Amino acid sequence: MIRENFNVSTVVPPQLRNKQGYQNFQIGQFRFERDEYFAQILYPGNRHIVPIETFLRALARDVAWGFFYGTVSFDAIFGTINRYGTVEMFIGLHNAAYRSAHKEYVETFASKDLRRVFDSMLADWTNQEFDPFAAPGETGTPYGRKHGDNLKAVDRERSAAKRMVGLPGDLKIRAGSDGLEVNRSFADVPQDQPELHPEPGFEDQVRAVNLFAHMSRSDTTWNPSVVSVVQDSLLCATTEEYVLPIIHGNDRVEWLVQLSDEIIWDIEDKITGMPACKLVMKAGDVAALPADIRHRGYAPKRSMVLVWENNDGTLPHRHAVGELTPYPVVF
Ligand code: PHB
Ligand code: FE
């Protein structure tokens, strides 16, 4: 998912920049500073430090997905919770040690206000050779003093079909037309297109695409894109390599379909972070992730996943009050 209306300026007077050339950002009582290696998050009473690569990869997802469903944790301490219209930004809220010492800190912001700060921070703090959506082996590093920017990478545009890709007047996705090459890890994925035999008179209403071929040319990792919408059912295709840059805490059930290769998931209790299980998904496996867990995936080799999200806005509340079990099926 790539956000729309990304519109920030990185033209900032030098006096507003720190010694390393980066802009500082402030919202509420949170202050964000970047240096050559770290993002420093200052909040009343303390500071939390996150390595800059970890921070920028997580930040890029949080803004691209509009704060996503439920909780997006950048690490075991810092993250955001989507309240759909507002966002809670927290330190230690979902960390058992912080909670028992009463060291958690939370502030609530209008989503659009936090989004504006995060957009600007991502644009200003991403140097020219770093792409936070790329696999580590396919991008330069984010380190050092401020040098250039990479708006092309952090501002990828969403391509939205009106009815279906390939129909007359609609988007085209075909090898060669999008300028993307088959990724080295997917060299064995056939690129042939489906055969179509529409009934006479329906030639302009029926299309088919080779989704595997399309995904094999994706230049992003861990960035689900909606490929079908049927009422609240969103099927989101994505290619994964290395580590999911956020830890996702569910506020509803979410399904994963492993389309190729293998991903290992760490599953933890959503609130305390206590390890719950290891989930190994091989090609063809399907898993329902319960509404009361958080999870992070590890993909040793680039792989393809279909994430199935339920966009019904009543679900978080119905889970929170216990009307729904955290599981889709009780056996
Ligand atoms: C997830 O939170 O389940 C998730 C997020 C991004 C992905 C895949 C899965 O690319
Ligand atoms: Fe998830």
Side-chain angles (χ1 to χ4, degrees), residues 93-96 99 268-274 292-294:
L93 189 67
H94 290 179
N95 180 293
R99 288 300 287 268
E268 301 170 340
D269 181 87
K270 179 167 75 173
I271 305 298
T272 64
M274 289 286 284
D292 60 356
I293 58 104
R294 68 194 194 192

Side-chain angles (χ1 to χ4, degrees), residues 68 248 250 254 256 265 289 295 309:
F68 208 26
H248 181 214
N250 295 72
E254 168 191 36
L256 300 178
W265 292 88
L289 304 184
H295 53 280
E309 293 284 1

